[in-house]
Amino acid sequence: MSDKDPALRRNAPKLALHVPEPKFRPGDTPDFSGIVIAAAGEAPRPDTSAPAAETHPLATSLVRVLGDDHRAVGPWDPKLDADTLRKILSDMVTVRTFDDRMYRSQRQGKTSFYMKCTGEEAIATATAAAMSRDDMHFPTYRQQGLLVSRGYPLVDMMNQIYSNKGDRLKGRQLPIMYSDKAHGFFSISGNLGTQFPQAVGWAMGAAIKGDSRIAMGWIGDGATAEGDFHSAMTFAAVYNVPVILAVVNNQWAISSFSGIAGAERATFAQRAVGYGIASLRVDGNDALAVYGAVQWAAERARSNNGPALIEFFTYRAEGHSTSDDPSGYRPGDEAKAWPLGDPIERLKAHLFALGEWDEDRHAALAAEADTAVRAAQKEAEKIGILPQQGKDDIGSMFDDVYAEVPWHIAEQRDAALEESR
Amino acid sequence: MPTMNMIQALNDAHKVVMRADEDVVVFGEDVGYFGGVFRVTEGLQKEFGKTRTFDAPISEGGIVATAVGMAAYGIKPLIEIQFADYIYPGYDQIVSEVAKMRYRTGGEWTMPMVIRTPYGGGIFGGQTHSQSPESLFTHIAGLKVVVPSTPYDAKGLLIAAVEDPDPVIFFEPKRIYNGPFDGHHDRPVTPWSKHPASDVPEGHYTVPLGKAVIVREGADLTVLAYGTMVHVALAAVIEQGLDAEVIDLRTLVPLDIETIEASVQKTGRCLVAMEAPRTSGFASELVTLVQERCFYHLEAPVERVTGWDTPYPHAYEWAYFPGPKRMKTALEKVMAD
């Protein structure tokens, strides 16, 4: 009998391959009214020691604090004082200003590449506010807000972007692949997903040593399809690791919508429950919800109650990178139609509602951020921009491959220096 | 001095480094309670506890990735991949992360870890229990690659690897875990106890990385080998009555080029032996280096004895393994005229 025996297959329906498609393509009018968005304050807040299974409803719902009236409501309200709220707002504004300036720098040919996080600013900045300064992050290339919030000098970020002599990574890394141990910001890799299980390993180290610090791993919606996502979840669950695993679901992986990563069938948060990991799905454009969720997960991890996954539901408002033109695959005005709005506008409105902010102060904040970014840019560009770099000190290209330069690399260094003469 | 086979020597090396340094943590599949499928980690969990020696999920990618995170934290991972044939799911982490960390961070983050893995054929292991993938690692800048061939070297090299500031891929030729193997599969196996290199000192000592050893001095030709092939090559030159100099490379990266150059410049002939498939194998690198650096001393083309460019077959074990016959043909060729 053949495996295609006509007698057996006569009445069988033809199989069909399903290839997910986003609802809207260029030229379409985006309409997100079909997305179910829980009302602010609606999601319950379980105890931080609750079993993972108890969080299942939270993995399909949406933790939200800021309501349509810009007031904070419900059990996830972290009840932050006005200074903390203003600090988060200020960090977000700085990040957006920084992104805009560096994007322009790339367009002016001062560097080769840049990636903005427009629309996602609340996630990293509110997270940084909710965690301890000495906790370790394993970020992707879109969590620059962590560095800004933790006070990493803007000029150092720019030096890295320009690969100039002030670049602590010595011109070896693509722009924005920052690394700084002192600011708890692990070296960014171009290889997607690799940092997710590494965060688990760091937290395992902390647990082995009886430390009280925790780690947080970051990944995008697209990269959850990598095998490293699965190994991170498995190891985190097996060893009950004090780690927070963050999936930033911004709906897009370059040109692929989240359905290509599996979002048509289940939320990313739901995946965690299957591993026995507590899971939350959170409005990523609501700084208070971000803060509240991270605070919950951090307390859980610190009390040895194990890992948690947080899916931050957001929208990548701009192109994937300076090398990307989103008008080739999605409607130009899709970001404006996004129902969760803009994180900066929402927190600003909240502070207005509290009577802790006004237009004048906001204008002053924006001007201050602009001044700080421009000053840093001026300083960094004085040190150098990419087109001027990579000509002297070619020998340094051969350092740090190993602790000591072995003979074969030393010979190649001599050849490179000879060649450049 | 105690007599040890290679497994016991490796086990002893673990105890030495773990007693000396609380930051050394051992994990991998079945390495904890059970002590490893080859018994290399036997007794470690009992002595050092579950937080320093533990079983891992069957996920090579996860094992290497979590080791990267631990090394970033300050732990010194000494991890095991059960067979080198199964290291590939961890390859992205090894190549993209472990190897490049020091470089891409300007030296701020380093990866002082050792990845041990049994490798090599001659055991009827078929396709996925016999491979020699060392060239996939020697090709990656940032990794050191070590292959011991005796119990004495195994212990000394493993201790040196753990103490080294750079990541080390440590290939253990499983064919010679219990005794040296000269390629004569039709003869009884001799245990390590009959071999002088089974005298393994107690306590701490190191065999330096990057240093080859001349296991037999000679004047007529130089044989470069590592792992099981050291013993195969040694037996072959003795059987053919050649005054050959046999060099055990021990470390492939960084390579001990001085010892190689001095020997080939003295003998004028060179043969390179490895188990791995021929095309783009590490032997090709050795041949090239010898040709580049000893060209005017050479009296004959440099020969390669290698596995064939096929997957490792089960029933054809001895037609595949580069044993005495292939050695003899190559030795005759390199000694002709």
Side-chain angles (χ1 to χ4, degrees):
Chain A
M1 190 183 78
S2 127
D3 60 353
K4 277 184 166 178
D5 189 328
L8 269 176
R9 294 282 163 225
R10 194 179 306 136
N11 298 319
K14 268 193 180 172
L15 299 174
L17 182 73
H18 171 69
V19 180
E21 263 298 313
K23 282 209 175 81
F24 315 108
R25 286 299 194 185
D28 295 341
T29 304
D31 173 11
F32 291 110
S33 58
I35 295 184
V36 182
I37 294 167
E42 207 176 74
R45 186 183 190 274
D47 193 88
T48 55
S49 63
E54 215 174 279
T55 64
H56 190 227
L58 289 160
T60 52
S61 176
L62 204 61
V63 171
R64 304 181 72 218
V65 172
L66 291 173
D68 295 338
D69 61 353
H70 310 303
R71 296 279 175 182
V73 283
W76 290 93
D77 177 9
K79 299 192 165 45
L80 300 177
D81 60 65
D83 283 344
T84 306
L85 293 172
R86 282 189 288 257
K87 161 83 165 102
I88 296 170
L89 182 68
S90 162
D91 289 342
M92 286 201 282
V93 168
T94 302
V95 171
R96 189 166 293 181
T97 309
F98 185 94
D99 277 359
D100 289 340
R101 297 289 320 172
M102 289 298 99
Y103 185 91
R104 201 177 311 170
S105 261
Q106 192 278 338
R107 288 296 188 251
Q108 291 167 342
K110 292 175 183 171
T111 189
S112 63
F113 184 72
Y114 193 70
M115 297 175 107
K116 295 171 136 188
C117 69
T118 312
E120 303 173 37
E121 293 93 344
I123 298 166
T125 56
T127 291
M131 285 178 77
S132 293
R133 180 65 181 69
D134 56 357
D135 292 328
M136 184 61 71
H137 286 281
F138 286 74
T140 76
Y141 44 67
R142 234 186 279 280
Q143 277 81 50
Q144 52 265 56
L146 293 171
L147 282 173
V148 170
S149 298
R150 286 182 163 187
Y152 189 69
L154 300 180
V155 67
D156 283 350
M157 292 174 75
M158 289 174 180
N159 288 340
Q160 197 282 327
I161 291 163
Y162 291 135
S163 282
N164 64 20
K165 286 186 178 53
D167 175 14
R168 293 168 49 190
L169 308 184
K170 305 179 186 177
R172 294 176 188 152
Q173 274 275 51
L174 193 69
I176 72 156
M177 304 277 180
Y178 312 108
S179 171
D180 192 70
K181 195 183 263 188
H183 288 78
F185 192 95
F186 188 68
S187 158
I188 293 177
S189 169
N191 296 67
L192 295 188
T194 52
Q195 72 289 342
F196 214 51
Q198 290 167 1
V200 176
W202 194 97
M204 285 171 73
I208 286 167
K209 289 293 182 185
D211 200 340
S212 57
R213 292 175 295 164
I214 61 171
M216 185 158 176
W218 296 81
I219 202 165
D221 47 298
T224 62
E226 293 282 3
D228 277 333
F229 177 76
H230 166 70
S231 64
M233 304 289 272
T234 301
F235 279 68
V238 166
Y239 303 108
N240 203 43
V241 178
V243 67
I244 305 174
L245 296 166
V247 178
V248 180
N249 175 7
N250 67 14
Q251 317 301 321
W252 292 95
I254 308 185
S255 75
S256 299
F257 89 116
S258 59
I260 290 291
E264 279 186 345
R265 310 290 162 193
T267 69
F268 295 102
Q270 269 179 293
R271 280 144 231 241
V273 182
Y275 290 88
I277 294 175
S279 190
L280 309 172
R281 191 159 170 272
V282 174
D283 179 348
N285 294 9
D286 176 344
L288 295 185
V290 171
Y291 190 108
V294 172
Q295 190 180 40
W296 184 91
E299 186 185 310
R300 182 178 179 86
R302 286 189 216 286
S303 321
N304 279 311
N305 287 311
L309 180 136
I310 305 173
E311 174 185 345
F312 293 114
F313 197 65
T314 185
Y315 184 84
R316 196 195 75 211
E318 301 220 8
H320 167 72
S321 71
T322 47
S323 309
D324 177 45
D325 175 10
S327 71
Y329 51 81
R330 69 182 190 191
D333 54 349
E334 201 178 71
K336 288 195 181 67
W338 182 246
L340 296 178
D342 179 272
I344 294 178
E345 292 307 317
R346 286 176 66 191
L347 186 57
K348 182 181 157 194
H350 175 57
L351 275 160
F352 269 60
L354 293 177
E356 293 285 354
W357 202 236
D358 54 49
E359 285 297 355
D360 287 348
R361 290 168 84 180
H362 195 77
L365 167 66
E368 202 180 304
D370 193 57
T371 305
V373 170
R374 277 172 194 272
Q377 187 178 14
K378 206 170 165 192
E379 196 183 333
E381 291 182 4
K382 212 187 300 168
I383 302 173
I385 55 172
L386 180 63
Q388 305 159 348
Q389 308 305 321
K391 294 182 182 70
D392 2 283
D393 204 17
I394 283 169
S396 77
M397 175 166 67
F398 299 89
D399 294 337
D400 300 323
V401 180
Y402 300 92
E404 285 171 27
V405 182
W407 68 268
H408 63 288
I409 295 179
E411 284 188 357
Q412 291 165 31
R413 179 178 56 198
D414 293 346
L417 290 171
E418 181 63 33
E419 185 183 275
S420 69
R421 223 165 260 148
Chain B
M1 201 179 287
T3 298
M4 295 186 195
N5 63 28
M6 196 182 280
I7 290 163
Q8 292 161 331
L10 290 164
N11 180 261
D12 199 44
H14 278 78
K15 289 177 180 162
V16 168
V17 293
M18 292 181 81
R19 283 171 194 155
D21 187 348
E22 281 192 352
D23 291 337
V24 177
V25 167
V26 174
F27 65 104
E29 296 155 20
D30 303 296
V31 308
Y33 181 86
F34 182 61
V37 295
F38 291 106
R39 323 307 304 151
V40 171
T41 56
E42 191 166 33
L44 301 183
Q45 191 177 77
K46 199 172 175 197
E47 180 176 345
F48 301 101
K50 283 201 289 187
T51 57
R52 289 188 64 199
T53 307
F54 53 89
D55 291 323
I58 303 174
S59 169
E60 291 76 15
I63 291 169
V64 180
T66 50
V68 169
M70 284 182 215
Y73 178 82
I75 297 273
K76 288 183 190 163
L78 167 50
I79 60 175
E80 178 181 300
I81 301 296
Q82 204 159 71
F83 287 85
D85 316 59
Y86 303 134
I87 204 165
Y88 310 122
Y91 198 58
D92 184 33
Q93 288 284 342
I94 296 173
V95 172
S96 309
E97 307 293 315
V98 174
K100 294 173 176 59
M101 197 62 69
R102 180 189 291 277
Y103 190 74
R104 80 180 194 213
T105 66
E108 187 173 36
W109 303 86
T110 61
M111 289 286 121
M113 69 165 76
V114 178
I115 303 174
R116 291 179 40 245
T117 186
Y119 101 120
I123 58 148
F124 278 95
Q127 284 183 33
T128 57
H129 298 80
S130 307
Q131 293 170 33
S132 300
E134 65 273 15
S135 69
L136 300 181
F137 298 90
T138 57
H139 189 62
I140 306 303
L143 301 176
K144 291 181 176 174
V145 180
V146 171
V147 190
S149 74
T150 66
Y152 179 90
D153 282 355
K155 179 177 170 183
L157 285 166
L158 185 58
I159 295 173
V162 171
E163 292 172 357
D164 196 89
D166 294 310
V168 178
I169 313 293
F170 196 90
F171 287 109
E172 299 168 4
K174 57 188 164 313
R175 183 63 182 81
I176 56 172
Y177 266 153
N178 291 303
F181 176 65
D182 60 10
H184 290 285
H185 57 91
D186 44 353
R187 296 179 192 165
V189 179
T190 38
W192 274 114
S193 55
K194 306 257 199 273
H195 192 286
S198 67
D199 285 342
V200 176
E202 285 184 82
H204 182 278
Y205 72 94
T206 57
V207 171
L209 304 190
K211 290 274 174 235
V213 61
I214 298 170
V215 291
R216 182 184 194 272
E217 289 200 8
D220 290 348
L221 87 150
T222 299
V223 180
L224 305 179
Y226 50 92
T228 304
M229 290 308 292
V230 171
H231 304 281
V232 175
L234 204 54
V237 298
I238 291 168
E239 282 158 22
Q240 290 184 62
L242 293 169
D243 186 19
E245 185 142 292
V246 179
I247 298 177
D248 177 357
L249 300 176
R250 300 198 291 200
T251 303
L252 308 188
V253 179
L255 187 67
D256 182 354
I257 194 69
E258 282 177 22
T259 300
I260 295 170
E261 269 183 63
S263 179
V264 177
Q265 287 175 7
K266 176 177 75 176
T267 63
R269 294 171 200 270
C270 183
L271 180 147
V272 178
M274 67 167 189
E275 288 181 56
R278 173 166 296 221
T279 301
S280 302
F282 189 67
S284 309
E285 184 62 32
L286 293 170
V287 171
T288 304
L289 286 168
V290 168
Q291 184 274 137
E292 284 172 347
R293 306 169 89 91
C294 309
F295 185 78
Y296 294 106
H297 293 84
L298 287 173
E299 291 164 38
V302 183
E303 282 294 314
R304 280 182 291 176
V305 171
T306 72
W308 306 126
D309 282 338
T310 69
Y312 204 109
H314 185 244
Y316 301 101
E317 177 77 83
W318 304 120
Y320 181 91
F321 186 88
K325 275 191 188 160
R326 210 171 307 156
M327 284 296 303
K328 184 168 187 284
T329 307
L331 285 166
E332 282 168 357
K333 204 169 161 196
V334 80
M335 292 310 293
D337 56 65

